[in-house]
Amino acid sequence: MSRKDTATTLRQPAELVAHGLASIEQLAGLEQVAARYAVAVTPDIAALIDPDDPDDPIARQFIPTSAELAMQPGERADPIGDQTHSPVSGIVHRYPDRVLFKLVHVCAVYCRFCFRRETVGPGKDSGLSDTAYRAALDYIRAKPAIWEVILTGGDPLMLSPRRLAEIMSDLAAIDHLGIIRLHTRVPVADPARISAELVSALRVTGATTWVALHANHARELTASARAACARLIDSGIPMVSQSVLLRGVNDDVATLEALMRAFVESRIKPYYLHHGDLAPGTAHLRTTLAHGQELMRSLRGRVSGLCQPDYVLDIPGGHGKSPIGPSYVEQANSCVDDRDRPQETRYCVTDYCGDVHLYPPGP
Ligand code: SF4
């Protein structure tokens, strides 16, 4: 197959075929997938895909496959329980000091593993009405414990700079809010969208803005993507990363290492490595928890702390996020045969090479 460049976002399976990103034999299956879950591949993402590689890690993230039609036991439409914790439209309030604020239901690209795939995309939920937006702001205003608002959705950077400036200023005017964090894939999917006007819209007085970039493979951090992030960071906005552990995309230590190094080189602190959520039709992209822990252990041995994300699981049903990385400390009586002092409780600490060392019990 040879890929044909595109100047516009590809949204139809027939367009994917016409541009060499899927075969004609796949078309009927892809039409069925696209009728259920949104498809969008921006020109920047299309340009990263090698059509001659059947296992291309970028294609696996964005080009639909008929495997998405197979739902597995345990998969659910709302895998992390957003609905259970939504007191008013647009708000998810799971932890005392922070809320998600879902402003939009569209994204620049649609990830095949998306945990909100039942609600994002054209024809799914609609954006917030003005009345619902005002009610959501009132909810945040009425809860002094809320220190951080996380703008998500959908992708908040799909909003116009003018609208973003209004929202940022509405939020920054709430006294008890300290942090406004935006989660986005736009700097990699459509870097040109990070314009001077958009950057300026995100800078407010009265709250600190953070941006979390979602990327899963070092190839996504192109020169243009890095430049887009630099425009945000140079303006004073700190950035963190979030990635999803995905089978056939980044589930080997060399790929994860390259991704984390690419973030740090771009001045983005690795923050989260999510275990894949139980979203419908995504089993072909998930790994096991044991494999994820093994990868984290290997990563620890290869790169500095600056490059270490937290490996986390959103517990199905809306019970929040838990760190699920390997443990490096345990009670001594379970890890060594220390016959000299068998009664004394001590700790065994494992170093980055896998060697075990005793540590005393008290100060
Ligand atoms: S950008 Fe985020 S919300 Fe949008 S499809 Fe990808 S994972 Fe889902």
Side-chain angles (χ1 to χ4, degrees), residues 10-13 16 29-41 45 49 56-70 75 107-118 120-122 124 185 214 216 244 246-247 249 277-286:
L10 307 173
R11 298 181 186 277
Q12 304 300 330
L16 298 177
L30 299 197
E31 297 280 11
Q32 281 185 60
V33 176
R36 184 154 181 192
Y37 303 116
V39 174
V41 182
I45 292 295
I49 294 174
D56 184 88
I58 310 298
R60 269 181 82 74
Q61 294 183 62
F62 301 106
I63 306 298
T65 73
S66 47
E68 294 172 47
L69 297 169
E75 291 182 343
C107 302
V109 279
Y110 291 104
C111 312
R112 305 327 302 165
F113 50 86
C114 177
F115 65 123
R116 296 206 178 105
R117 60 189 336 216
E118 298 284 355
V120 297
K124 303 277 185 175
R185 218 152 168 25
H214 175 180
N216 303 313
V244 184
L246 295 165
R247 195 193 324 167
V249 173
D277 292 311
L278 295 170
T282 62
H284 59 294
L285 290 167
R286 283 196 298 273

Side-chain angles (χ1 to χ4, degrees), residues 211-213 239-243 260 263 268-272 309:
V211 168
L213 173 72
M239 288 186 72
V240 293
S241 75
Q242 61 167 351
S243 307
M260 298 307 152
F263 281 137
I268 301 168
K269 171 71 186 88
Y271 180 33
Y272 279 146

Side-chain angles (χ1 to χ4, degrees), residues 1-24 41-43 46-47 49-52 63:
M1 254 190 318
S2 70
R3 182 174 51 75
K4 215 167 91 188
D5 284 345
T6 175
T8 55
T9 296
L10 307 173
R11 298 181 186 277
Q12 304 300 330
E15 293 178 309
L16 298 177
V17 172
H19 286 82
L21 297 173
S23 69
I24 190 74
V41 182
T42 57
I49 294 174
D50 174 1
D52 294 323
I63 306 298

